[in-house]
Amino acid sequence: MSVPGGFIRKTAAIALFILCFLVQKSLCQESSVLESSFTFRKGSVKTIDALAIITKETGFNFTYDSRLIDPEKKVSLDYNNTPLRSILTGILQNDSLVFSVIDKYIIFSRQIRNHSVAPESSSARQDAVSGKIIDEDTGDPLPFATISFKSVPKGTVTNINGEFGLNIPDELLKDTLSVSYLGYVGREIPASQAIGNNITFTMRREYVSIPEIIIRNKIPQEIILKSQHAIPANYGNKPVMMTAFYREGVMRKSQLQTYSEAILHIYKSSYSNTLLNDQIKVYKSRKIENIDRADTLAVKLKAGLSTCLELDGAKNLFDFMSPEYIGDYNYRLSDIVTYDDEAAYVIEFQPKEGSEIPLFRGTIYINTSDFGIYNADFQVSPSHISKIKDSFITSSAGGFVTWPVSVKYSVSYRKVNNRYYLSHVRGDLIFNSKQKKKLFNSQFKVFFEMAVTDTDPANVKRFDRDELAPVHSVFSETIKEYDKDFWGDQDFLRPEDNLLQSLKNMRVKLQEFSE
């Protein structure tokens, strides 16, 4: 099972068009709030409630490692005209905490350890930050949010539950972490202050007031064509080396049948003027299989690695952006949303009624200034899904009929120093299979995901032929075992709740998720 073979086309050209909706962000707002005096007469309250009361009074939210406080511990919130710093110190009862203010957030963390006298070997040592990114108002998790370093293309994305983990090498401790999500105000925090587990980053939705006349007078097809022409300028004409995390799995109902994951090295070729293709080398990998010999039916994912490369729609142009098919789609410019300090057009698309060739419907986000593609979320249109069975089912078990029910993809890019890099690719596919002359179906959920965690534009070298991964094969069949000590200091995506529970049900020893 893969992506339809005719789904992507290639093109390259260049043009310029400028339109800018910038949302300014201050990194030093109201730092004096810690020295401002407040009065509270709340008596004995839980620590978590005390922080909520302070937030309501001051308008500042808190970011911290949840291990630094006991949220249920009773504390006294009786203070008269007292500096907020002293109030927080009294509530938290921890003299080792350091307070700082960025935007409308008060961050408290442990005192930063001194690296000036670290031994030479310290360059190999690293700290880490992990936790969750949620909507400030609803508390809902933000899936596929980006958390990355400001100055270098290194970072990760959250899983479906909004959870993330990222290593912080010593040489990047003085860098800044940027938290980004489409339609939300971006957040920044010094890397040294973010170190810790179970940190919750709250993000505030940004509503951009766009006059109806602006949206009505913009032609979405023109925006898409400008995005195509700007690809060489936005994505670069030089190759880079990438490190990525990859995982794939098959679930039958709620039971995991196969699960594989890997650290990949990727030679990412130029986005223009090259005949060289992308390459993948598997650095390390592991798998679990939970297929009983008594099972009458099992599904395996084929060509998941190659599909991740093909889904780079800036390199292999999406059909719904291709000049060849753009006339067969209906497009609607539905909104303009913020993304960090910039803004993005929100363009919805779907096949025209009666059209045979276009397959997809979804949403694409394009930078209003340089026309770079931030993100594309799309799925095979229900009206076309029955027509593409042969694109996904390479062979069917004897006595069974199998067909796709839902096929969804998500592709996102990260912008660093005015260049866009592939950041995250995910595919979620649902299949039904029925034994002939039987009444009920068996449902399979298949997923694959790749998150680029590091990009190096300097040390670029193509791989030898014997190093290349078998990208068109069933990846799980190339792996021999499951190594419980697999990750070491590598960045990886945390399994979402249902996947983690399924792994636990299989009694897999996942020491990396024990916290």
Side-chain angles (χ1 to χ4, degrees), residues 71-136:
E72 299 299 315
K73 184 177 181 179
K74 287 294 187 72
V75 297
S76 174
L77 191 57
D78 277 326
Y79 292 92
N80 181 41
N81 198 29
T82 304
L84 182 57
R85 187 187 301 274
S86 298
I87 295 175
L88 293 175
T89 300
I91 290 173
L92 301 175
Q93 299 175 7
N94 189 334
D95 294 335
S96 68
L97 294 182
V98 175
F99 302 103
S100 58
V101 179
I102 298 178
D103 294 330
K104 284 291 185 179
Y105 297 90
I106 297 174
I107 303 161
F108 49 90
S109 55
R110 293 188 180 92
Q111 290 183 351
I112 303 169
R113 58 188 173 91
N114 186 357
H115 288 254
S116 61
V117 294
E120 292 183 3
S121 61
S122 66
S123 60
R125 189 177 67 245
Q126 57 188 359
D127 292 300
V129 56
S130 65
K132 195 170 187 178
I133 299 176
I134 64 173
D135 182 288
E136 180 177 287

Side-chain angles (χ1 to χ4, degrees), residues 119-157:
E120 292 183 3
S121 61
S122 66
S123 60
R125 189 177 67 245
Q126 57 188 359
D127 292 300
V129 56
S130 65
K132 195 170 187 178
I133 299 176
I134 64 173
D135 182 288
E136 180 177 287
D137 296 323
T138 67
D140 293 336
L142 298 180
F144 312 143
T146 299
I147 180 166
S148 59
F149 292 92
K150 189 75 172 176
S151 64
V152 296
K154 174 179 173 59
T156 189
V157 298

Side-chain angles (χ1 to χ4, degrees), residues 307-327:
T307 302
C308 284
L309 297 180
E310 291 171 0
L311 282 167
D312 181 357
K315 176 178 284 288
N316 310 295
L317 200 61
F318 299 120
D319 274 4
F320 47 81
M321 294 186 67
S322 168
E324 184 178 357
Y325 298 113
I326 200 169

Side-chain angles (χ1 to χ4, degrees), residues 45 76 88 114 171 206 215 238 257 344 398-399 440 470 484 495 513:
V45 296
S76 174
L88 293 175
N114 186 357
E171 63 269 21
E206 177 77 359
I215 291 183
K238 293 183 179 179
Q257 281 200 326
F440 299 106
K484 69 181 181 63
F513 308 121

Side-chain angles (χ1 to χ4, degrees), residues 18 65 67 100 105 110 183 193 237 302 360 376 392 399-400 416 446 455 466 472 494:
I18 304 297
D65 182 340
R67 297 177 303 174
S100 58
Y105 297 90
R110 293 188 180 92
Q193 295 184 21
N237 56 12
K302 184 178 181 181
F360 304 101
F392 291 93
F400 285 86
V416 181
V446 179
T455 302
D466 59 359
H472 299 288
R494 293 174 177 270

